[in-house]
Every structure is written in C-alpha cells, then in structure tokens.
Amino acid sequence: MSDSIVIIPTYNEKENIEDIIRAVFNLEKQFHILIVDDGSPDGTAAIVKTLQREFPEQLFMVERQGKLGLGTAYICGFKWALERPYEFVFEMDADFSHSPNDLPRLYAACVEQEADVVIGSRYCNGVNVVNWPLSRVLMSYFASVYVRVVTGMYVLQDTTAGFKCYRRQVLETIDLDKIHFKGYAFQIEMKFTAYNCGFKIVEVPIIFINRVLGTSKMNTSIFGEALFGVLKLKWWSFFRKYPQKKEMKKYRNNLT
C-alpha cells in the first residue's frame, strides 16, 4: 500500500493517458493514481479500464457524467482519497505539462522540509515555461503577481500552479464543501485557504512544458473567473473564520 495518491482529472486525454499512467508507475517510489474522468467522449475511460486490469491495486477511476469542472473533479478526488489511508495527495495534469519525474521531489519536500503543501513552481527560480507563446507566459506570470498582491500571499511566487502535494491533514482541515470555484480560480482558492489555515507551503522549482498532444482546456472565461474570483476570495476572507492547523503530534494522536 502506497502512502501517496496522484489525482489526475481527464477530459478527452486519450493521446496522453496511458503514457502518463505508465510514467508514474515506472518511478522508483510507488504512487497510486486516481483518474477522475468527466465523461470523455474520446474513450479515455475505456483506456483506463484496460490498464486497471494490469494495475488492479494501483490504478483507480471515478467516472462522472459530463464536464463538471476542474475544481469539482479535484474535490471529488480529495474526498475519495480521504476515505482511504493516504497521507499525501497530489494534483497533476494528464498532458505531461507536469513531469511525473517531479513527483518524488514534491514528496521529498513534504517529508524533509515538513511542508503541508508543496507547489511545483514555474516562477520561484526564474520563469521556467517551455513552448508557451510569450503572450501566455506574460499573462500567467502577471496573473500570479496580481494574486499575490490582492491576497497578500507574498511568500509564494506561483500562486496559480496546478501541480501540488497536500498532506492529508490539510484536506481534512479545509471544508471542501465550501470551496467555491470550479475552474482556474480553484487552484488559487485552495492555496489561499491553506495559507489562512496556517499551513506551511513550500515551492519546488519545476519546468512546465506545454502539452504536445491533445487540446488545451484553457480559455478566456477561465482567466476571467480567476481575475474576479481573487477579489471575491479576499472580500470573503474578511468575514470568514478559517480553521487553524493543529500541531502534527496532536493531529496524529487524534488519528490513533
């Protein structure tokens, strides 16, 4: 039994899904994978089901009816993981923009630096993005700066990153049913909530590579949600009391 589960949301990822699953399972450290598929019409789920016969104790899938949004896919995955004894829960894209080889580095940062949330950061060591047009690099970079200024999370360089590792305690402390956003702003809201709960967040530099196969799900409406969503998050924070992180020793005693 692995202590780590990687959640990969999918919608029309038939070109990438088998390769990304095999890449994770080929790592020296053992990770389990949970695919959350939003009714992909291209047959992504069928490919996963075939692979489940090869990896029956490592590969799992939740199938949902229709495209319900990135945020709800991860929330679904978090709840699934919390029903099982995983200590570390990862978010990762299916399209190789997040390298599976970086998973052990995020895990090591959690264990060795006692981090509660580890972010695979594109911007904590310069701008490490490959194959993006300059316009999108600038939009992403300055979006992250904008989030830092509005939210006050100055300790983070990549506030919009989607490659992350959470300790179990973080997901148990956050009220997942009160996470509002479904798209791009979901990633910001989870970081902002963890930050306000007092969790230790660490960034690990990664190289982000734009997808080669399949179609990007990013669009202007997703960026619009983030732009105005950040203002809403800050406004709501004035009236919300965030549950605070328990000391790890006390937390572990509560589990036993």
Side-chain angles (χ1 to χ4, degrees), residues 122-130 132 137-138 141 206-208:
R122 299 162 292 184
Y123 306 130
C124 72
N125 187 20
V127 177
N128 294 310
V129 177
V130 177
W132 261 6
V137 173
L138 292 173
Y141 179 79
I206 64 162
I207 296 175
F208 181 96

Side-chain angles (χ1 to χ4, degrees), residues 1-103:
M1 177 67 184
S2 174
D3 63 350
S4 303
I5 183 86
V6 181
I7 301 173
I8 305 178
T10 55
Y11 184 77
N12 287 349
E13 290 290 355
K14 68 177 183 180
E15 296 93 346
N16 296 302
I17 194 61
E18 179 171 356
D19 289 342
I20 196 77
I21 288 171
R22 292 191 181 280
V24 173
F25 288 158
N26 283 335
L27 296 171
E28 184 175 348
K29 172 176 168 47
Q30 186 183 70
F31 293 89
H32 289 180
I33 296 176
L34 172 66
I35 304 296
V36 182
D37 185 71
D38 272 6
S40 298
D42 71 344
T44 297
I47 297 171
V48 176
K49 287 176 182 176
T50 299
L51 291 170
Q52 282 183 302
R53 294 197 287 269
E54 185 176 346
F55 305 103
E57 297 182 0
Q58 295 172 262
L59 178 60
F60 309 95
M61 180 166 62
V62 174
E63 293 184 81
R64 307 198 303 169
Q65 301 303 312
K67 196 174 181 182
L68 303 176
L70 179 74
T72 64
Y74 275 126
I75 295 295
C76 173
F78 293 158
K79 290 181 176 181
W80 186 97
L82 291 176
E83 292 174 353
R84 294 156 179 85
Y86 295 106
E87 180 61 29
F88 302 97
V89 181
F90 293 75
E91 294 183 10
M92 190 173 77
D93 290 348
D95 61 6
F96 284 94
S97 55
H98 304 146
S99 171
N101 292 328
D102 287 326
L103 286 169

